[in-house]
């Protein structure tokens, strides 16, 4: 081999792999390198060879044909060559990392040949000059697309930490393409966590926090319990090294005593099950450091007060006589003959498998020392699912078809990924919520069980049935009693959703749902409505602009948006389309100098004296300090046309302008009548509109709000600033802040509002 010509070496190697590599198959034989390549020492070759033999041994389970073996060999060969000369921080050759990841993929995750090849190649495109096309040519499109996915995940995680939510979203995006990518990535992460010791501290912290935030929950969700547990344990070790060491030490110090106790606890179970003819294995497991630590945190207790340090697991080989389920309960009943059970702590994941596929029967029994101990009862099949998660689940699933909880979750995640709503952080929170949720079971009227996170509402249930049911939900019968759709459900509830054609989601609904599916559907609906409004708004606006012969420009919008109190074009179009604003006064808006828009001036006149400009509401004209000023009183908000009376502020000397019948003014007049200035009246005024408030009350009927909006925004040239409507017991109460040009148009508006069917009282505030 000639060194120094990376590109030539690469083409040469690709050529070898494409053709002659077939002769290299050392099936199950210790690997012997054909040629010692530059970058690997004899010691390297020895350890690489040993590791590869171990991988091949593990592959015995999955390689079914010559082509399978060839793929593994070829992938190893290419990876070894591509990473040649590169070492990990620990000093060992880099290739040992992909080898270890491939081994986890086969032995601990139970994935197949293509995934193992992809695991061997997972850093090749990211770190070396080989491309995805090279991989595709040599290994086919499946392996290539997995490697491509892994490369993208790696790139996303390398991005700026400030955009972490977005990087995580990108990581999760691969879930919907090929779930194996994430499973291989979890193996990669597990190996990196196992070898984290040689990393610098800041990297340890970054990698550990990603692991806790994303990868451990994902491993849990994919049913990879053993890996999830190890990831948590390793994370704790690097996050809180001292706490970790302390717990580990205490566990060791108590090990002998605990093991003896465990043996004494297990022995009677062994005897009983053997006597009953059950074919089983039983083992006691000490809790992990992480689970002990989190219990100490949760309950705020010291290590010494945690008694349930071990759990017992019984794995049985089912007989053909009765169903697995019945055998689980049979074993349970045998156990309760020995130790008293805690009846309310039976966890039946046999009838109701967890959403990640987990099945088992958990019993809590009283130990001779009076402490509760957990015993898990599983068949061999359940055990494999519990240990291997996803892959095993798929294997058994082929036996019975139909969508299960796992498919449903994956479908929800995929949907959410395809139609992202909200920002990346919201999205991530939604997904996260589904990763570690505590589940409860709720029943349909037909007795079908459905799983929900604790805290889910009737509305969540409605959306779980179908998005159309959710979108038209008006109430729920919970255990045959009519309740609001916002009612939180309890485990075991039976729920029936009541719908109405005319019902539809509102933004408020988002505060009353906990599931991703419900959130997603509501947002999709609201967005669609908004989109329709935006489209309508665009066409209204375009038509109007055509009338004026104006081509809309960025400059035009800079003028329009503030005038219509909109933050952006979308909001403008949407408000226009939904008739919150209209274009009646657009010519005025277009003509006016936008700089002056925000200030509202008007002029008062004291009878017989010269009119003076004054500034409203405490905004003072500094240049005119010292001169007589008129200020509109905030208590009654006089507007042109109102009868007004002035009150001279004894401190500032300003004249505060009140409506003549203002209660505050009447109070002032009673105390300090000498300060009243009676002879003032409206003069010319420059502002287009003044803020006024009206209150109304009436019968709540469908359409009343629409009629109201029609009167306010369409029939009269008035802008609403704020509209608050409350409805209770069939009564409708509202408060509207709006801009009017003078008192006359306000009263004419109030007249029109009063004529709306159902409204029985309108008054100015
Ligand atoms: Mn890697």
């Amino acid at each position: 081999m000639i060194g120094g010509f990376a590109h030539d070496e690469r083409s040469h190697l690709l050529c070898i792999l494409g053709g002659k590599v077939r002769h290299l198959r050392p099936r199950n034989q210790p690997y012997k390198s054909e040629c010692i390549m530059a970058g690997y020492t004899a010691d390297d070759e020895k350890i690489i060879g040993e590791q590869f033999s171990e991988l091949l041994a593990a592959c015995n389970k999955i390689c079914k044909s010559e082509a399978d073996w060839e793929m593994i060999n070829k992938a190893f060969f290419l990876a070894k060559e591509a990473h040649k000369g590169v070492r990990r921080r620990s000093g060992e050759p880099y290739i040992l990392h992909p080898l270890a990841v491939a081994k986890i993929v086969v032995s601990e995750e139970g994935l197949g040949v293509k995934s193992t090849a992809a695991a061997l190649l997972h850093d090749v495109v990211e770190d070396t000059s080989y491309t995805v096309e090279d991989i595709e040519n040599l290994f086919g499109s499946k392996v290539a697309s997995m490697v491509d996915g892994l490369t993208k995940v790696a790139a996303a995680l390398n991005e700026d930490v400030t955009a972490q939510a977005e990087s995580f979203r990108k990581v999760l995006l691969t879930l919907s393409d090929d779930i194996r990518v994430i499973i291989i990535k979890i193996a990669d992460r597990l190996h990196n966590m196992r070898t984290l010791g040689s990393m610098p501290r800041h990297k340890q912290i970054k990698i550990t926090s990603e692991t806790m935030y994303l990868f451990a929950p994902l491993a849990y969700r994919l049913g990879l319990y053993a890996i999830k547990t190890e990831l948590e344990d390793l994370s704790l070790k690097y996050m809180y090294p001292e706490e970790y060491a302390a717990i580990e030490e205490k566990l060791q110090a108590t090990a002998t005593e605990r093991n003896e106790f465990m043996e004494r606890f297990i022995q009677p179970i062994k005897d009983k099950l053997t006597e009953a003819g059950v074919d089983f294995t039983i083992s006691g497991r000490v809790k992990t450091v992480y689970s002990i630590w989190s219990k100490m945190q949760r309950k705020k207790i010291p290590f010494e007060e945690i008694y349930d340090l071990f759990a017992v697991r019984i794995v049985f080989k089912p007989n053909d006589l009765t169903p697995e389920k019945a055998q689980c309960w049979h074993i349970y009943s045998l156990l309760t003959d020995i130790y008293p059970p805690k009846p309310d702590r039976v966890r039946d994941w046999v009838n109701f498998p967890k959403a990640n596929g987990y099945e088992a029967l958990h019993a809590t029994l009283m130990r001779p020392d009076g402490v509760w101990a957990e015993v898990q009862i599983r068949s061999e099949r359940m055990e494999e699912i519990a240990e291997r998660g996803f892959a095993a689940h798929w294997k058994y699933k082929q036996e019975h078809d139909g969508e299960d909880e796992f498919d449903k979750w994956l479908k929800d995640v995929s949907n959410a990924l395809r139609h992202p709503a909200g920002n990346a952080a919201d999205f991530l929170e939604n997904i996260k919520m589904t990763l570690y949720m505590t589940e409860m079971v709720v029943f349909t009227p037909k007795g079908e069980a459905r799983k929900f996170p604790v805290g889910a509402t009737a509305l969540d249930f409605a959306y779980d049935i179908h998005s159309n049911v959710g979108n038209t939900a008006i109430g729920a019968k919970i255990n045959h009693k009519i309740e609001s759709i916002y009612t939180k459900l309890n485990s075991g509830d039976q729920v029936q959703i009541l719908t109405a054609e005319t019902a539809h989601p509102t933004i408020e609904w988002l505060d009353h749902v906990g599931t991703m599916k419900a959130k997603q559907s509501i947002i999709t609906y609201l967005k669609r409505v908004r989109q329709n409004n935006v489209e309508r708004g665009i066409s209204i606006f375009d038509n109007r602009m055509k009338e004026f012969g104006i081509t809309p420009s960025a400059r035009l919008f800079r003028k329009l948006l503030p005038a219509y109190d909109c933050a952006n074009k979308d909001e403008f179009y949407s408000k226009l389309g939904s008739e919150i604003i209209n274009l009646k006064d657009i010519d005025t808006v277009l003509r006016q100098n936008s700089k002056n828009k925000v200030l509202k001036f008007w002029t008062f006149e004291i009878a017989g004296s010269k009119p003076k400009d004054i500034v409203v509401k405490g905004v003072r004209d500094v240049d005119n300090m010292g001169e007589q000023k008129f200020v509109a009183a905030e208590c009654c908000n006089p507007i042109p046309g109102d009868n007004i009376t002035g009150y001279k502020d004894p401190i500032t000397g300003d004249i505060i302008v009140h409506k003549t019948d203002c209660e505050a003014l009447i109070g002032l007049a009673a105390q300090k009548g000498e300060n009243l200035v009676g002879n003032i009246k409206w003069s010319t005024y420059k502002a287009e509109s003044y803020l006024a408030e009206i209150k109304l009350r009436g019968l709540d009927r469908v359409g009343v709000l629409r009629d109201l909006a029609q009167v306010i925004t369409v029939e009269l040239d008035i802008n609403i600033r704020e509209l608050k409507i409350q409805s209770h017991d069939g009564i409708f109460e509202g408060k509207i802040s709006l801009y009017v040009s003078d008192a006359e148009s306000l009263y004419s508006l109030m007249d029109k509002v009063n004529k709306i069917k159902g409204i029985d009282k309108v008054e100015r505030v």
Side-chain angles (χ1 to χ4, degrees):
M1 269 282 161
I2 308 149
F5 297 94
H7 182 72
D8 286 345
E9 259 183 48
R10 174 175 159 269
S11 354
H12 179 61
L13 184 78
L14 290 175
C15 172
I16 297 180
L17 287 171
K20 285 180 280 180
V21 96
R22 192 170 295 275
H23 308 296
L24 282 172
R25 304 291 65 77
R27 181 194 283 220
N28 278 336
Q29 296 303 304
Y31 170 78
K32 282 201 195 85
S33 179
E34 291 269 299
C35 51
I36 307 283
M37 304 205 186
Y40 291 119
T41 66
D43 280 351
D44 292 342
E45 291 291 353
K46 185 165 169 279
I47 183 158
I48 296 169
E50 281 165 12
Q51 294 297 315
F52 185 51
S53 312
E54 279 188 27
L55 174 64
L56 287 178
C59 285
N60 252 331
K61 273 188 310 189
I62 56 167
C63 287
K64 303 274 186 265
S65 66
E66 193 61 25
D68 288 350
W69 288 110
E70 181 177 328
M71 181 170 278
I72 302 290
N73 271 292
K74 215 156 79 173
F76 167 65
F77 192 83
L78 176 61
K80 187 185 167 201
E81 179 57 15
H83 295 299
K84 186 175 68 179
V86 183
R87 285 177 189 276
R88 304 190 85 207
R89 217 166 252 277
S90 58
E92 59 181 26
Y94 194 86
I95 180 67
L96 292 181
H97 166 64
L99 265 174
V101 174
K103 214 174 129 206
I104 294 169
V105 163
V106 187
S107 338
E108 297 179 48
E109 296 180 333
L111 293 184
V113 176
K114 290 193 181 84
S115 307
T116 309
L120 282 166
L121 297 167
H122 81 270
D123 280 333
V124 164
V125 174
E126 166 87 356
D127 295 342
T128 77
S129 59
Y130 294 89
T131 64
V132 174
E133 289 72 48
D134 293 338
I135 309 280
E136 178 157 10
N137 289 336
L138 291 167
F139 301 95
S141 58
K142 280 268 164 56
V143 175
S145 82
M146 280 192 262
V147 173
D148 191 30
L150 286 158
T151 308
K152 284 179 181 144
V153 168
L157 290 174
N158 276 335
E159 275 170 18
D160 187 1
V161 281
T162 54
Q164 199 175 42
E166 180 56 29
S167 347
F168 286 171
R169 197 181 76 88
K170 285 182 190 160
V171 172
L172 289 163
L173 267 171
T174 55
L175 268 173
S176 52
D177 296 339
D178 187 341
I179 198 161
R180 290 175 299 182
V181 170
I182 285 287
I183 298 176
I184 298 167
K185 184 64 203 174
I186 290 171
D188 179 37
R189 179 49 56 112
L190 177 60
H191 185 243
N192 284 334
M193 288 297 294
R194 281 175 181 169
T195 53
L196 201 57
S198 44
M199 281 296 196
R201 186 69 187 146
H202 71 276
K203 280 252 169 141
Q204 287 181 347
I205 291 169
K206 177 179 188 278
I207 291 176
T208 304
S209 51
E210 283 171 7
T211 302
M212 281 313 284
Y213 190 80
L214 187 65
F215 291 103
L218 267 174
Y220 171 80
R221 203 58 182 71
L222 295 171
L224 299 161
Y225 280 89
I227 290 180
K228 172 238 174 195
T229 306
E230 192 178 344
L231 286 176
E232 284 174 342
D233 232 32
L234 288 166
S235 298
L236 181 65
K237 187 171 161 183
Y238 289 102
M239 280 291 207
Y240 303 107
E242 280 155 31
E243 282 93 332
Y244 186 90
I247 295 174
E248 208 176 27
E249 201 175 290
K250 284 180 178 162
L251 271 178
Q252 241 145 43
T254 53
T256 323
E257 196 191 338
R258 186 172 48 250
N259 287 340
E260 280 171 16
F261 185 88
M262 209 151 69
E263 276 311 310
R264 281 204 306 279
F265 177 74
I266 284 176
Q267 196 54 47
I269 302 179
K270 276 186 183 165
D271 297 344
K272 183 91 184 179
L273 295 189
T274 312
E275 187 192 321
V278 180
D279 189 354
F280 71 101
T281 57
I282 185 166
S283 56
R285 289 157 189 262
V286 180
K287 280 197 167 168
T288 61
V289 176
Y290 177 82
S291 63
I292 294 168
W293 175 81
S294 52
K295 187 160 191 179
M296 285 164 63
Q297 300 296 312
R298 222 171 38 240
K299 305 211 157 167
K300 296 187 172 43
I301 49 172
F303 178 89
E304 287 67 27
E305 283 173 35
I306 296 184
Y307 302 105
D308 56 340
L309 284 172
F310 69 87
V312 172
R313 182 177 303 163
I314 296 165
V315 178
F316 66 93
K317 199 187 189 87
N319 59 43
D320 300 332
L321 307 172
T322 48
E324 271 182 0
K325 185 165 101 173
Q327 292 177 60
C328 285
W329 286 103
H330 176 58
I331 292 171
Y332 173 79
S333 114
L334 292 171
L335 294 179
T336 59
D337 288 348
I338 314 167
Y339 300 113
K342 196 175 185 188
D344 58 338
R345 279 287 298 275
V346 181
R347 294 285 178 265
D348 179 5
W349 284 303
V350 175
N351 279 308
F352 304 111
K354 283 195 193 181
N356 61 14
Y358 182 84
E359 290 175 58
L361 185 62
H362 289 191
T364 301
L365 304 174
M366 188 165 308
R367 309 192 312 208
D369 62 346
V371 173
W372 295 111
E374 187 183 79
V375 181
Q376 306 170 348
I377 305 164
R378 302 174 184 167
S379 70
E380 285 175 341
R381 178 188 65 84
M382 296 171 189
E383 168 77 357
E384 197 180 345
I385 290 173
E387 292 292 304
R388 294 271 163 69
F390 171 81
H393 172 85
W394 243 239
K395 178 174 139 195
Y396 289 110
K397 217 197 88 167
Q398 282 160 5
E399 291 163 17
H400 60 279
D401 43 24
E403 190 180 82
D404 62 13
E405 292 302 319
F406 194 92
D407 299 301
K408 265 189 62 188
W409 174 76
L410 201 58
K411 212 165 92 184
D412 284 356
V413 173
S414 306
N415 271 331
L417 285 161
R418 270 199 297 277
H419 312 289
N423 60 28
D426 288 349
F427 166 81
L428 194 64
E429 268 318 300
N430 281 347
I431 300 257
K432 277 274 295 174
M433 199 166 55
T434 73
L435 289 177
Y436 263 149
M437 61 189 189
T438 332
E439 289 162 5
M440 61 178 179
V441 177
V442 176
F443 298 93
T444 67
K446 286 178 183 162
E448 185 199 335
R450 290 183 175 242
K451 284 191 196 63
F452 290 90
V454 167
T457 61
L459 198 49
D460 283 306
F461 182 91
Y463 276 103
D464 193 61
I465 303 279
H466 195 279
S467 57
N468 287 341
V469 176
N471 283 341
T472 55
I474 51 164
K477 269 189 182 173
I478 300 172
N479 305 323
H480 308 292
K481 226 179 105 196
I482 291 184
E483 306 272 7
S484 142
I485 45 169
Y486 297 158
T487 311
K488 286 197 169 151
L489 301 178
N490 292 310
S491 203
D493 280 348
Q494 195 204 53
V495 185
Q496 183 185 357
I497 298 298
L498 310 170
T499 60
E501 281 291 305
T502 51
H504 61 81
T506 65
I507 196 145
E508 199 192 2
W509 284 20
L510 289 172
D511 298 334
H512 297 278
V513 293
T515 58
M516 199 163 57
K517 187 174 175 192
K519 272 209 170 123
Q520 200 71 35
S521 309
I522 294 168
I523 289 171
T524 307
Y525 180 91
L526 294 175
K527 266 189 156 177
R528 201 168 57 224
V529 170
R530 190 185 152 89
Q531 190 50 39
N532 289 343
N533 285 337
V534 167
E535 277 161 19
R536 198 176 315 132
I538 289 176
S539 98
I540 294 172
F541 183 67
D542 283 355
N543 288 337
R544 200 67 207 272
M545 287 299 102
K546 263 180 215 146
E547 286 172 26
F548 283 105
I550 297 176
T551 318
S553 65
R555 223 184 93 234
L556 177 71
F557 278 104
R558 273 200 299 277
K559 201 168 186 178
L560 284 180
L561 298 183
Y564 287 97
D565 202 18
C566 295
N568 52 43
K569 272 206 236 176
D570 245 26
E571 187 186 342
F572 175 72
Y573 287 138
S574 163
K575 281 184 171 169
L576 191 57
S578 53
E579 296 174 8
I580 294 170
I581 57 175
N582 67 71
L583 299 178
K584 281 197 169 174
D585 57 350
I586 190 150
D587 43 349
T588 323
V589 173
L590 291 174
R591 259 185 268 115
Q592 93 203 7
N593 184 348
S594 55
K595 265 187 199 162
N596 291 342
K597 176 66 187 169
V598 279
L599 287 178
K600 293 183 201 91
F601 288 92
W602 79 63
T603 309
F604 293 102
E605 176 182 86
I606 298 184
S609 74
K610 234 178 92 190
K612 279 172 189 162
D613 282 358
I614 46 151
V615 184
V616 190
K617 295 203 177 181
V619 184
R620 277 154 198 280
D621 184 348
V622 182
D623 293 335
N624 285 326
M625 270 305 246
E627 283 201 50
Q628 180 100 89
K629 280 191 190 61
F630 294 89
V631 181
E634 292 190 33
C635 48
C636 55
N637 259 319
I639 61 178
D642 283 339
N643 279 325
I644 45 173
T645 301
Y647 178 77
K648 188 167 180 165
D649 188 318
I651 298 158
T652 62
D654 292 346
I655 294 183
I656 317 289
V657 180
H658 291 264
K659 279 157 64 181
T660 303
D661 57 356
C662 169
E663 274 185 36
L665 179 77
I666 293 166
L668 286 168
Q671 292 165 35
K672 305 193 170 193
E674 71 276 14
N675 288 339
L676 289 182
V677 186
N679 55 344
I680 60 171
K681 64 172 192 181
W682 295 99
S683 168
T684 50
Y685 35 88
K686 294 175 187 167
E688 287 91 17
S689 55
Y690 300 89
L691 188 62
E693 248 186 337
I694 59 174
K695 247 175 32 182
L696 35 109
R697 201 181 140 92
L699 285 174
D700 189 13
R701 68 167 176 89
V702 178
V704 73
L705 199 56
R706 226 201 136 266
D707 293 353
L708 192 59
Q710 183 82 12
V711 166
I712 295 169
T713 64
V714 180
E715 295 197 2
L716 285 158
D717 188 4
I718 279 164
N719 282 331
I720 303 181
R721 192 185 72 162
E722 201 180 16
L723 176 69
K724 279 187 198 142
I725 300 290
Q726 266 189 334
S727 151
H728 54 88
D729 309 318
I731 303 292
F732 161 105
E733 278 182 316
K735 203 171 174 185
I736 308 172
S737 306
L738 31 72
Y739 290 105
V740 292
S741 51
D742 53 32
E744 202 185 325
S745 61
L746 180 64
Y747 291 121
S748 129
L749 168 80
M750 285 166 68
D751 251 12
K752 292 205 161 141
V753 170
N754 218 348
K755 285 188 183 122
I756 293 173
K757 197 177 138 210
I759 301 253
D760 67 349
K761 197 176 176 194
V762 182
E763 54 184 347
R764 186 161 164 206
V765 181

